[in-house]
Every structure is written in structure tokens, then in C-alpha cells.
Amino acid sequence: METTLKGKVALVAGATRATGRAIAVELGAAGATVYCTGRTTRERRSEMDRPETIEETAELVTRAGGEGIAVRVDHLEPEQVRALVERIDTEQGRLDVLVNDVWGADKLAAWSTPIWEHPLDDGLRLLRLAVDTHLITSHHALPLLIRNPGGLLVEVTDGTWEYNSANYRLCAFYDLAKISVNRLAFSQAHELRPYGCTAVSLTPGWLRSEAMLEGFGVTEENWRDATVHQPHFVISESPAFTGRAVVALATDPERERWSGQSLSSGQLAREYGFTDVDGSRPDAWRYIVEVASAGKPADATGYR
């Protein structure tokens, strides 16, 4: 297996924070040139209204050992995405890894609210941000990706196909958005296969994102203090865990065996042997089914 992505070019769409940022940084740590896109810059915030910026992400990529390039892009605007891909083609002449991680709809989902009571405009906007952005980005970027065999497309979602197919995901709009991304990876795998390229969907577990840590009033250093209020947070993982999963796929010359599949960070950690930042291998989706959803007391023994 290769140990470096030096000379490879990646686009992480939705790299401002959380999983997208960590994927970009881990790709950079493996030596890749990473285009980091999103809507929040130091001059202008998106509707998420959070402080993380794409410039910070690009600087973290460079600091990790790669080359980070920040580009403000609204992935709902096809012309902006087209211009981005043309820039990558002009500057690099190739694209080896595309990560569709655009989301930005946290404030739009009304949890445990039936579809007839859910604000319709918010629900439809959520679907546009979660699904249309991925379709638009793939439409413009995949012609560059398939120029060379071996390209990798990662569709980032929340939940495996198995879990999302069997469980209601908090509201109809969110439920549809997340399983749609699972299916989108399957469809694109079929279309990419003749070109020697791979597409997968990938989900983190219970993510210790900036917003999640902030909500619990903890940091990455003392996150376990949050288990006092939410005991099952014991299975949580850092965003870097999913970033390392993407690097493992990108550096595996036999990654095509995964094409079309729904994968999780914990599953790939068992396969490739990487760990989270604390040296553990949390298997969140198995824990959620076997412990949390089963009504058992919080105990991550055997799950990380």
C-alpha cells in the first residue's frame, strides 16, 4: 500500500469545519494538494453563522504537510462549481480525490416533527443543501476525475445504508437527505466503474464536531466530561477519524473492491488499522444498534 498522496490533487467540497475540515487536513498530512471549498470566509459567513473559515482549513492542510487552497464556492450555484473545476484543471491538470461533504443545514431540521408540521421551505432547502449540492459538484468535477484511472469519490453522509434503511432519522427531510447520499454513491459507482474509478458513501459515527463540543461545553481535550450529561457520548469520535478513513481508501491500490458500498469510519479502521487521535477505534454504528438503541447502560467496552 502507498504511504503518501504527494502529487495527488483533492477537492473537499464542504471543508469549512467538522468532517470536511478533518478530511482535508488528513489528506494534506498524506502530502496531497487540497482545494478546500465552502461559503464561510474571514470576510463573510454563511447562514450557519459559525466562526470556522475555509482559509483556516487551507492553512491547517498546509501546516500538516500538504498544500491547502481555499476557494469560496456555493455548491448550489453551478457556474461557481464549473469555475472551480476549470481552475483546478488549469492549475493542476488532474483531480484524484473528490469528497462531497456539503451540508450546512443544521438549523433547518425540526427534529421529531412530522412532515405536515415541518416548515416546508426549511425542509426543501435542507434537501437542496444536502443532495443538490452533491449532484452539481459531481456533474462538473467527475469529467476531470475520470481523466485518469484510479480516481476516488467519497460521498459523506450520516448513517450507513443498513442503519438508514431500518431507522427513522429524526424528521422526513433529514431522513431522505441522508439515505439519498448513500444511494448517490451507489449510482455513481456504477457510472465510474468503466473508467477505473471508485465511489463510496462514508459516515462518521457520533462526531465531536466544533458545534457538538460547544453544545456540551467541552473541548477535544476534556470531551469525556460530556458523558455526565449524555453517557452514550462515550462512543464519540473526532473528525480526524473519518479523515484517516478517506486517506486509507485513497492510498489503497485495491480500493475498487469497496466501490458502491456504504462504509463507516469504524469499519474501515478495523480493515486498515488506523486509529482515532486517542489511539482507539470507536465502532459507533454497531454500538448505537447494540447498546444505545437496545436501552443498555452506556459502556463502550469492546466498541472502541
Side-chain angles (χ1 to χ4, degrees), residues 154-166:
V154 179
E155 291 283 350
V156 180
T157 189
D158 174 21
T160 63
W161 176 268
E162 181 181 19
Y163 187 85
N164 287 344
S165 296

Side-chain angles (χ1 to χ4, degrees), residues 31-279:
T33 295
V34 187
Y35 285 78
C36 310
T37 69
R39 295 175 296 163
T40 296
T41 67
R42 286 178 174 138
E43 290 74 39
R44 178 181 175 187
R45 289 190 181 188
S46 73
E47 64 204 66
M48 289 287 289
D49 194 27
R50 288 197 54 84
E52 301 86 13
T53 70
I54 56 172
E55 293 95 340
E56 290 172 351
T57 301
E59 290 165 0
L60 289 169
V61 169
T62 302
R63 196 177 308 156
E67 180 184 0
I69 302 170
V71 186
R72 187 187 186 281
V73 177
D74 183 339
H75 286 264
L76 277 176
E77 299 295 333
E79 285 305 305
Q80 292 186 29
V81 179
R82 180 189 58 78
L84 165 68
V85 174
E86 288 180 352
R87 174 178 171 179
I88 296 172
D89 193 8
T90 298
E91 295 178 353
Q92 311 295 337
R94 65 185 300 131
L95 180 63
D96 301 286
V97 179
L98 169 61
V99 179
N100 275 332
D101 184 52
V102 183
W103 168 235
D106 289 345
K107 296 182 178 181
L108 298 173
W111 305 130
S112 303
T113 301
I115 192 169
W116 59 90
E117 294 180 3
H118 196 292
L120 184 58
D121 287 346
D122 287 354
L124 295 177
R125 172 74 174 170
L126 182 155
L127 287 171
R128 290 214 69 210
L129 287 167
V131 181
D132 289 12
T133 53
H134 292 223
L135 290 166
I136 291 167
T137 305
S138 286
H139 174 82
H140 287 287
L142 290 183
L144 182 55
L145 186 85
I146 65 174
R147 192 177 295 172
N148 300 300
L152 172 66
L153 166 62
V154 179
E155 291 283 350
V156 180
T157 189
D158 174 21
T160 63
W161 176 268
E162 181 181 19
Y163 187 85
N164 287 344
S165 296
N167 292 273
Y168 171 66
R169 300 306 312 277
L170 302 171
C171 79
F173 294 101
Y174 188 87
D175 189 295
L176 179 59
K178 296 309 177 182
I179 201 162
S180 293
V181 176
N182 289 133
R183 184 66 188 189
L184 183 56
F186 174 84
S187 300
Q188 291 176 110
H190 176 81
E191 296 170 353
L192 290 172
R193 198 165 285 118
Y195 301 92
C197 297
T198 298
V200 301
S201 67
L202 177 62
T203 178
W206 193 341
L207 194 69
R208 295 198 298 273
S209 65
E210 298 90 348
M212 183 65 69
L213 292 172
E214 187 177 288
F216 278 124
V218 295
T219 65
E220 179 59 32
E221 288 67 38
N222 70 337
W223 67 266
R224 289 181 183 275
D225 292 349
T227 61
V228 174
H229 307 287
Q230 173 46 268
H232 290 302
F233 198 56
V234 70
I235 196 58
S236 67
E237 63 193 56
S238 80
F241 197 47
T242 304
R244 293 172 181 181
V246 172
V247 170
L249 288 169
T251 55
D252 181 358
E254 298 180 353
R255 58 185 164 273
E256 280 188 83
R257 72 187 190 275
W258 299 109
S259 200
Q261 295 189 44
S262 166
L263 308 171
S264 71
S265 50
Q267 174 189 1
L268 291 181
R270 294 194 305 274
E271 173 72 20
Y272 289 107
F274 62 86
T275 65
D276 203 350
V277 293
D278 63 358

